[in-house]
Amino acid sequence: MLNQQTPLDLMFQALADPSRRFMVERLSRGPASVSELAKPLTMSLPAVVQHLQVLENSGLIRTEKVGRVRTCHIEWAAMRTAEQWMDERRKSWERRLDRLGEFLAEDGNQ
């Protein structure tokens, strides 16, 4: 299992890079071409394409090529998967902290 990467692993690894997070942030506002995504970044176009391949392999984005233009789109279902995982962790910790608070409140009353 340690050598197998789940889709969630790939998503979080893809989002670990600030340039890729920037690209996802930009795509959250709507589709963009590779050149539009590359414009504000201080890296070569081939480097941008490599980052986009990581995002696409993780399932966070999809690309389509029409003529000579490759357009990128965010995959909201994948984003919801990551959001759901984080929400489950948050709820679990909130329950634990609530129980700790109750315990401390009872212990303080004795």
Side-chain angles (χ1 to χ4, degrees):
M1 176 88 183
L2 289 177
N3 292 332
Q4 295 176 343
Q5 292 185 311
T6 68
L8 194 60
D9 293 335
L10 294 173
M11 281 185 238
F12 283 120
Q13 286 175 355
L15 292 171
D17 183 86
S19 296
R20 291 192 288 264
R21 286 194 307 272
F22 173 83
M23 293 176 194
V24 168
E25 174 62 30
R26 167 54 190 86
L27 292 173
S28 70
R29 297 189 305 269
S33 69
V34 171
S35 59
E36 288 173 316
L37 290 170
K39 196 174 216 174
L41 298 171
T42 57
M43 64 178 74
S44 67
L45 191 58
V48 170
V49 170
Q50 285 181 335
H51 282 292
L52 290 171
Q53 286 174 336
V54 170
L55 289 169
E56 191 166 21
N57 290 340
S58 75
L60 289 167
I61 69 165
R62 67 180 163 81
T63 64
E64 62 182 347
K65 189 171 183 179
V66 177
R68 296 182 67 175
V69 178
R70 181 166 297 281
T71 303
C72 303
H73 306 264
I74 199 156
E75 284 291 341
W76 290 109
M79 295 295 284
R80 282 189 290 278
T81 299
E83 179 184 25
Q84 180 182 5
W85 184 88
M86 288 184 283
D87 191 48
E88 289 169 2
R89 304 294 78 72
R90 180 187 55 78
K91 287 177 183 176
S92 173
W93 277 104
E94 284 176 351
R95 284 190 301 271
R96 290 176 184 181
L97 291 172
D98 287 345
R99 287 195 309 263
L100 176 61
E102 291 167 4
F103 172 78
L104 294 173
E106 288 173 9
D107 193 42
N109 291 332
Q110 293 179 0

